[in-house]
Amino acid sequence: MASFDGLRCKPLLACALATGLMAPAGALAWTKYTPSGDAKREDVPKEYRWSLEHLFGSYEEWEQLFTQLEGQLPELEPCRGTLAQGAQQIKKCLDLSFGLKQELYRLAVFADADYSTDRTLSAAKVRSDRVQALFTRFSEASSFIQPELLAIEPDVLRSYIKAEPGLEPYAHTLEDLIRRRAHILSPDQERILALTGDLAATPYSIHAAIEEDVKFPPVIDENGKEIALTMASFPGFRDSQNREFRKQAVDKFFGTLRAYARSFAASLDAAVKANIMYAKARGYESALEASVDANAVPPVVYKTLVEATRANLPKTLHRYVKLRQKLMGIDEVHYYDLYTALFPKASMDMPYPEATKVVLESLKPLGKDYIKMVEVGLDPKNGWVDVYPNKGKRSGAYCNSSYRRHPIVFLNHLDRLEDVFTLTHEFGHALHFHLANQAQAFPNADAPIFLAEIASTFNETLLLDHLLKKAKTKEQRLALLNKRVESIRTTVFRQVMFAEFEAAIHAEVEGGGALTADRLAEIYEGLVRTYYGPDFKVGPDDGYEWAYIPHFYYNFYVYQYATGLMSAIALAKNVTSGDKKATKRYLDFLAEGGSDWPIDSLKRAGVDLTTAEAMQATFDLFAKTLDEIEALLAK
């Protein structure tokens, strides 16, 4: 079973090398390759495909661990009713529970990664589903632990931690339980809630199924050719430089969603009611309070975020919409005018090998040790990265990690500038995982979601700053400045608008209202008008964009994209100022993982999100960037 002693190696790079988690990087050698979504996986050169052998050497080995863990679940039962016996019994049962969880994560990381690279493989889908089911059974089998621990008086529980050194890795976990004491139920009640895990996931599954059933009419390109309009192709059509084409795509896309709106509304209504049910069951005043409390985030952060964003709309987003109208030479700005590039001729696309060099250059402010760790991850012989698309591979990008094993980075690199930002974004996650896994015991290694997007967007901020310094032409600089504006628009303003929508629809149900398709569209359209301002023309179906956003099923998740980027901008400003202490604080923050309350971790790094000050830095940067664009255009 797992051991939870912290490695505490210093420096962390030496620790990574000493534990065999990373092989030293050599000169990178790449095979020339042109990406294609229709390529067979075996036709993608080996160095562009990750290796999962550090997780499991074979499917048989995976099956052996699955069977072993399945057989060990009953070992939790003898712990039931015994935790009040004292520190040693608590340690024994927590070691068993967290040891099982650690190995379950390893099963899941492998299964999900394997399925991601080829979704036509039914065996891979089955493995992924089996792990999810095993997690549910584990949750049920271990559901008595929290209530039994909380039956012990807090001062007594704290005395156990002091008396038993083996409980030290669980100190923060136990303090978090004490913090949430009023919201933990009896063992039988917790077991019932654990059994509802699959039901709670059903609304999202229904949403995904409806998406699969939706059939969009084709769009007609400028040559009169029919092109399939799908969920996957829509973002590209929305970006088109041809205004009539993108208008056609948006009208058909949202018009079709509106036709299915009652079904989408029913699934979203079910998700909202599930969130409210869990909040009420645990004694929270609202679903919002329950959600943020899970990460020990005070509700004032959510409230401050919305208020600060609204207060800054006139000098930021409203002004940007007006600037778009002027630069595009149009009478009105519609939804289909928001995503097209303002400076399309400033092409800065680059193949993956070149992208790796640019990323490494941009990360130099973080120091040699950080750079060496990224070099190791990028080295093809170490098998961290799955680079290019292939037939059957899922879309998007992500990073995942199994404790004390190197992270894996999933990409669909198409040699575009946007893909370079995705690469550095995912390596921000990778190094966050890696540093925390080295420095922390397993119970404290995972950073909460509230902190998880900071490292990734921090890297993107450094990359953009680096590219701006290297820009060779006025057009390139304009395009990069607009990239910054668009990043803040979509990650802060758009996500805060989503966050307001989430809060509004939950409040609607909590107040006795009903979430019909028309009511959802009414709430959403009102927010669109507020956020984009007087120079934005709302289309007849714009209010139905909510049906397109799967994040509304993630239970107040999206606000953390905004706070993450805001924190990253503030932290990157400190690091790039040349303050070595700021760099150390940031790297220490990454290594902390989830070992402290997220608000306190961020404060030590230099950001306090309980006030609007750190948030204001982002709004000021947005306005300053608009100033720079206008000044360049005036030359």
Side-chain angles (χ1 to χ4, degrees):
M1 199 51 65
S3 172
F4 299 124
D5 57 308
L7 289 181
R8 295 181 174 84
C9 297
K10 293 183 179 181
L12 287 172
L13 174 65
C15 181
L17 297 173
T19 55
L21 289 174
M22 303 162 65
L28 304 188
W30 305 100
T31 301
K32 188 174 181 180
Y33 179 74
T34 301
S36 170
D38 292 328
K40 294 179 181 178
R41 183 157 179 80
E42 57 268 25
D43 292 338
V44 178
K46 187 176 181 181
E47 68 259 34
Y48 298 115
R49 289 180 276 144
W50 60 23
S51 169
L52 303 179
E53 291 183 0
H54 68 300
L55 297 170
F56 292 97
S58 66
Y59 292 126
E60 290 76 18
E61 188 180 325
W62 187 93
E63 288 290 350
Q64 288 170 6
L65 181 61
F66 185 96
T67 302
Q68 175 189 322
L69 297 182
E70 195 173 33
Q72 285 181 301
L73 287 184
E75 294 178 17
L76 286 165
E77 187 59 28
C79 288
R80 188 185 298 272
T82 70
L83 299 186
Q85 293 175 8
Q88 290 186 350
Q89 184 64 10
I90 292 173
K91 178 186 180 303
K92 174 185 173 183
C93 293
L94 289 181
D95 281 351
L96 175 60
S97 175
F98 276 89
L100 288 168
K101 183 184 290 187
Q102 179 179 324
E103 294 294 74
L104 275 168
Y105 281 148
R106 181 156 68 103
L107 285 176
V109 170
F110 178 92
D112 291 344
D114 189 46
Y115 183 44
S116 293
T117 56
D118 191 347
R119 291 200 159 191
T120 66
L121 299 176
S122 58
K125 174 69 163 60
V126 169
R127 276 188 292 271
S128 183
D129 289 347
R130 286 169 64 202
V131 175
Q132 178 60 48
L134 192 58
F135 260 113
T136 299
R137 290 167 59 192
F138 166 76
S139 297
E140 178 191 355
S142 60
S143 61
F144 66 90
I145 293 177
Q146 290 189 1
E148 284 195 28
L149 288 171
L150 288 178
I152 303 169
E153 285 298 317
D155 288 344
V156 175
L157 196 53
R158 291 186 177 112
S159 72
Y160 288 161
I161 298 170
K162 292 179 181 178
E164 172 54 68
L167 282 178
E168 193 276 334
Y170 304 110
H172 182 63
T173 301
L174 295 174
E175 282 293 342
D176 192 44
L177 275 180
I178 292 169
R179 178 185 67 83
R180 295 183 292 115
R181 195 169 192 238
H183 305 292
I184 304 296
L185 308 179
S186 70
D188 286 344
Q189 290 171 323
E190 286 293 339
R191 177 178 177 274
I192 291 170
L193 283 187
L195 287 170
T196 65
D198 289 339
L199 287 175
T202 299
Y204 177 77
S205 299
I206 293 172
H207 170 85
I210 298 170
E211 280 191 333
E212 290 295 322
D213 287 342
V214 171
K215 302 302 178 188
F216 297 96
V219 290
I220 312 299
D221 69 10
E222 52 266 39
N223 299 317
K225 182 181 177 182
E226 285 192 355
I227 307 176
L229 175 62
T230 66
M231 292 282 182
S233 67
F234 173 66
F237 296 166
R238 182 180 62 183
D239 295 350
S240 172
Q241 286 295 306
N242 185 311
R243 194 178 190 215
E244 285 304 313
F245 178 78
R246 63 179 186 261
K247 177 184 185 302
Q248 175 196 169
V250 167
D251 288 348
K252 289 183 176 181
F253 189 80
F254 287 143
T256 303
L257 289 182
R258 183 172 187 167
Y260 287 83
R262 286 192 297 273
S263 297
F264 281 117
S267 65
L268 184 55
D269 180 55
V272 168
K273 286 176 177 173
N275 294 339
I276 293 171
M277 183 274 289
Y278 283 116
K280 286 183 176 178
R282 296 198 178 280
Y284 288 100
E285 292 186 7
S286 68
L288 171 57
E289 181 192 1
S291 178
V292 298
D293 190 56
N295 286 327
V297 175
V300 67
V301 171
Y302 205 101
K303 181 172 181 281
T304 302
L305 175 66
V306 170
E307 290 177 349
T309 303
R310 277 183 168 251
N312 280 276
L313 286 173
K315 76 170 189 178
T316 53
L317 194 54
H318 295 178
R319 180 183 166 195
Y320 179 50
V321 168
K322 187 70 175 176
L323 180 61
R324 265 195 168 266
Q325 180 184 10
K326 177 182 176 181
L327 292 179
M328 296 175 74
I330 53 180
D331 294 332
E332 296 175 328
V333 177
H334 294 255
Y335 178 92
Y336 50 81
D337 297 316
L338 288 175
Y339 291 88
T340 188
L342 291 178
F343 308 102
K345 295 181 181 179
S347 174
M348 287 170 280
D349 293 351
M350 62 185 75
Y352 181 76
E354 184 182 344
T356 64
K357 295 176 184 177
V358 172
V359 165
L360 288 169
E361 281 286 323
S362 72
L363 296 174
K364 282 185 176 179
L366 290 174
K368 293 180 180 179
D369 283 358
Y370 189 96
I371 290 292
K372 288 178 181 177
M373 285 187 275
V374 177
E375 284 180 336
V376 170
L378 290 171
D379 191 328
K381 71 172 178 286
N382 291 327
W384 284 36
V385 192
D386 205 84
V387 179
Y388 287 119
N390 58 254
K391 189 175 292 186
K393 188 175 179 180
R394 60 157 279 188
S395 61
Y398 68 80
C399 177
N400 211 341
S401 179
S402 179
Y403 185 64
R404 296 276 164 86
R405 289 171 169 81
H406 72 69
I408 52 175
V409 174
F410 179 94
L411 304 172
N412 278 282
H413 195 92
L414 292 171
D415 295 348
R416 305 165 304 182
L417 179 64
E418 192 62 38
D419 298 318
V420 187
F421 280 90
T422 300
L423 173 63
T424 200
H425 178 106
E426 298 306 337
F427 262 86
H429 286 309
L431 269 291
H432 197 179
F433 278 130
H434 206 56
L435 290 170
N437 279 345
Q438 293 168 48
Q440 303 298 331
F442 173 70
N444 302 319
D446 257 1
I449 296 299
F450 184 75
L451 302 179
E453 289 299 330
I454 294 174
S456 53
T457 50
F458 180 100
N459 278 17
E460 287 194 65
T461 302
L462 290 189
L463 176 60
L464 185 55
D465 288 347
H466 172 74
L467 291 172
L468 279 167
K469 290 176 184 176
K470 297 291 184 180
K472 296 178 180 179
T473 66
K474 172 183 173 180
E475 288 72 23
Q476 285 185 347
R477 185 165 184 82
L478 282 167
L480 290 167
L481 288 170
N482 196 62
K483 164 72 178 171
R484 177 191 285 161
V485 169
E486 277 296 292
S487 175
I488 297 173
R489 178 182 78 81
T490 55
T491 310
V492 175
F493 293 109
R494 181 169 162 82
Q495 302 302 329
V496 176
M497 186 182 79
F498 288 171
E500 270 215 71
F501 178 72
E502 281 191 277
I505 62 177
H506 281 80
E508 186 86 5
V509 176
E510 287 165 341
L515 294 183
T516 64
D518 289 344
R519 179 59 181 146
L520 287 165
E522 180 185 5
I523 294 170
Y524 194 88
E525 182 181 313
L527 289 170
V528 169
R529 292 183 186 279
T530 297
Y531 273 73
Y532 287 98
D535 294 300
F536 182 82
K537 179 69 173 179
V538 179
D541 297 326
D542 286 2
Y544 290 86
E545 188 186 20
W546 58 265
Y548 172 52
I549 312 299
H551 295 75
F552 294 146
Y553 294 80
Y554 297 178
N555 193 13
F556 294 97
Y557 183 98
V558 295
Y559 84 98
Q560 297 164 119
Y561 287 121
T563 56
L565 179 58
M566 288 171 158
S567 300
I569 287 172
L571 291 168
K573 181 181 178 182
N574 294 339
V575 168
T576 54
S577 70
D579 183 352
K580 292 184 178 180
K581 290 182 179 179
T583 303
K584 184 181 184 303
R585 286 196 302 268
Y586 176 68
L587 294 175
D588 288 345
F589 160 75
L590 297 183
E592 283 183 13
S595 61
D596 200 356
W597 313 119
I599 290 295
D600 292 340
S601 287
L602 260 181
K603 284 180 180 178
R604 280 192 297 277
V607 175
D608 183 359
L609 286 177
T610 62
T611 70
E613 185 179 352
M615 301 176 185
Q616 191 62 42
T618 297
F619 302 127
D620 291 344
L621 178 63
F622 190 98
K624 178 186 174 184
T625 307
L626 293 181
D627 291 341
E628 290 186 57
I629 291 173
E630 290 175 339
L632 275 173
L633 289 169
K635 288 183 179 179

